[in-house]
Amino acid sequence: MARKTTVPTMKDVAEEAGVAIGTVSKVFNGQNVGTEYKKKVLAAAKKLDYKINTYAQGLKSGKTKSIAFLVPNTINQYFGMLTTEVNKALKKHGYKMFLCCTDYDDSQEQEFITMASLNKVDGIIGLTYNPKLVIEEGIPFISIDRIISPSIPCVASDNYAGGVLAAQTLYNAGCRKVCFLRTGSTLSNEPDKRKSGFENECIAKGLDYDMKIIDDSTSHNVFFEYLKSHISNGKIDFDGIFCVTDTLALEVIDMLKQTGIKTPEDVQIIGFDGLKPYEKDEYFCSTIVQSVDQIAEMAVTLLLQDSDTMKPPLVCLPVKFAYGGTTKKSFF
């Protein structure tokens, strides 16, 4: 007898399992059926090497089982980590991720929103920077780090608490004159609260503090000149520095190294994000750690919730301090 070479169908699975084709359909579409029926269907599908046609399912249900993830790029390690975790979270729910690297292009962001309105994806999770972004009512959208409107949920770390924790940590490590360095978007977003938390805790602790804040379009040489202006006779005015990201913290460490200032001997430095070298446990620097996996899981969970379910306008997830060699270990 010639070997059957055609691709197995749902009808073939039903015949192999000894059940009605409607039962097979219910199993593959996640509807309730008896446990024994489900076992038979899955065993038959495995035996026949039956592959579910998710595209055809999507045509029938009006769902593509895919979600667009908007992110500026994946070169930035934090964005790369977040991309990985969002993809993992979507896979757990049976969804595919459509990665959209926007490179901070406002028109690209709006274009991907339009894709969702045309039902090419079932929803969007995004880190967006377009101040005029228009999201039509009814498009499932979850924002990360930016409150766009009260009707669009935002998922973020507790950035304010992170700023407070950075100030507390530097104070407990013996620092008494500290500095905050920030570079970022001019658009108001949740990471701005790192500054507020740090400043308020410095005031509460009686810490002498200074701040240098620039936007993304400004050269980081401004920080170098600023730091050099606070160095005289081989000593720096600050004994602690809080940088808005780990990436900036590493740049600052390198800048200070060029002037002969050592970290943490001369100045202790804390970053924000929790970045690590690939497949290693230690951190690049002492840092306020964001739970990237929790951010991703929460964003996916909120997006896939029933549209009629009340969703919070803002979810803040906890942060923690982690030692990474740029603060004095004796204090921890």
Side-chain angles (χ1 to χ4, degrees):
M1 184 177 176
R3 184 179 176 184
K4 189 176 181 180
T5 58
T6 57
V7 176
T9 65
M10 197 178 290
K11 183 179 178 182
D12 295 328
V13 175
E15 289 177 355
E16 179 69 30
V19 300
I21 194 169
T23 302
V24 176
S25 178
K26 286 181 179 179
V27 170
F28 293 150
N29 284 291
Q31 295 174 272
N32 288 329
V33 296
T35 303
E36 289 304 314
Y37 286 118
K38 185 174 181 180
K39 285 181 179 178
K40 287 180 179 179
V41 169
L42 294 177
K46 184 176 182 181
K47 181 178 178 181
L48 297 175
D49 195 25
Y50 175 77
K51 300 292 191 297
I52 300 172
N53 189 335
T54 54
Y55 177 72
Q57 282 185 330
L59 290 176
K60 291 178 182 178
S61 66
K63 296 286 186 181
T64 66
K65 297 291 283 186
S66 61
I67 299 296
F69 179 53
L70 275 60
V71 66
N73 59 59
T74 54
I75 296 172
N76 178 298
Q77 190 175 340
Y78 174 70
F79 293 155
M81 288 166 55
L82 193 55
T83 300
T84 298
E85 294 300 332
V86 168
N87 189 47
K88 283 183 185 177
L90 285 169
K91 283 175 68 176
K92 284 196 293 186
H93 292 272
Y95 279 74
K96 290 183 171 61
M97 183 178 75
F98 190 149
L99 178 60
C100 310
C101 291
T102 62
D103 198 28
Y104 299 98
D105 185 331
D106 291 356
S107 62
Q108 283 264 302
E109 291 184 5
Q110 193 63 61
E111 185 180 327
F112 289 125
I113 303 296
T114 302
M115 282 180 56
S117 70
L118 296 173
N119 297 319
K120 292 184 178 179
V121 292
D122 297 337
I124 299 173
I125 298 171
L127 279 86
T128 61
Y129 293 87
N130 180 352
K132 297 179 180 179
L133 193 67
V134 177
I135 302 170
E136 296 175 21
E137 188 174 348
I139 294 178
F141 192 102
I142 303 296
S143 175
I144 294 179
D145 279 350
R146 174 189 168 196
I147 293 179
I148 297 173
S149 81
S151 62
I152 296 175
C154 172
V155 179
S157 291
D158 192 339
N159 290 280
Y160 183 88
V164 170
L165 184 55
Q168 288 176 346
T169 303
L170 289 174
Y171 179 84
N172 292 338
C175 298
R176 293 298 178 266
K177 185 173 177 61
V178 297
C179 177
F180 173 71
L181 303 179
R182 177 193 182 272
T183 182
S185 169
T186 55
L187 193 67
S188 178
N189 54 36
E190 284 300 299
D192 291 346
K193 295 177 180 177
R194 297 172 192 177
K195 169 186 174 291
S196 302
F198 185 76
E199 185 172 26
N200 287 353
E201 188 61 16
C202 284
I203 293 170
K205 286 280 192 286
L207 269 172
D208 189 2
Y209 71 95
D210 199 358
M211 295 192 168
K212 185 65 177 178
I213 297 170
I214 64 174
D215 61 47
D216 283 330
S217 62
T218 305
S219 168
H220 288 194
N221 282 335
V222 171
F223 286 132
F224 195 22
E225 295 305 316
Y226 169 77
L227 291 168
K228 285 196 295 184
S229 72
H230 285 273
I231 298 172
S232 60
N233 299 320
K235 293 186 177 181
I236 187 167
D237 292 340
F238 310 115
D239 50 13
I241 298 176
F242 174 41
C243 296
V244 75
T245 65
D246 288 346
T247 302
L248 180 58
L250 294 173
E251 284 188 56
V252 168
I253 291 166
D254 186 58
M255 290 174 185
L256 291 173
K257 192 174 182 181
Q258 295 177 51
T259 66
I261 302 298
K262 297 178 182 178
T263 306
E265 294 86 351
D266 301 321
V267 60
Q268 301 183 67
I269 296 179
I270 294 176
F272 199 111
D273 280 336
L275 302 185
K276 296 179 179 181
Y278 183 63
E279 290 188 340
K280 291 190 177 180
D281 291 331
E282 68 268 20
Y283 294 91
F284 280 116
C285 61
S286 295
T287 181
I288 306 300
V289 181
Q290 300 197 71
S291 298
V292 183
D293 56 340
Q294 292 181 32
I295 292 172
E297 187 62 53
M298 179 59 69
V300 169
T301 298
L302 288 173
L303 187 70
L304 300 183
Q305 272 183 1
D306 189 281
S307 58
D308 294 329
T309 304
M310 286 292 292
K311 298 178 182 180
L314 176 63
V315 176
C316 285
L317 297 169
V319 295
K320 65 180 182 179
F321 169 76
Y323 173 77
T326 57
T327 45
K328 293 179 181 177
K329 195 169 185 178
S330 59
F331 289 95
F332 305 102

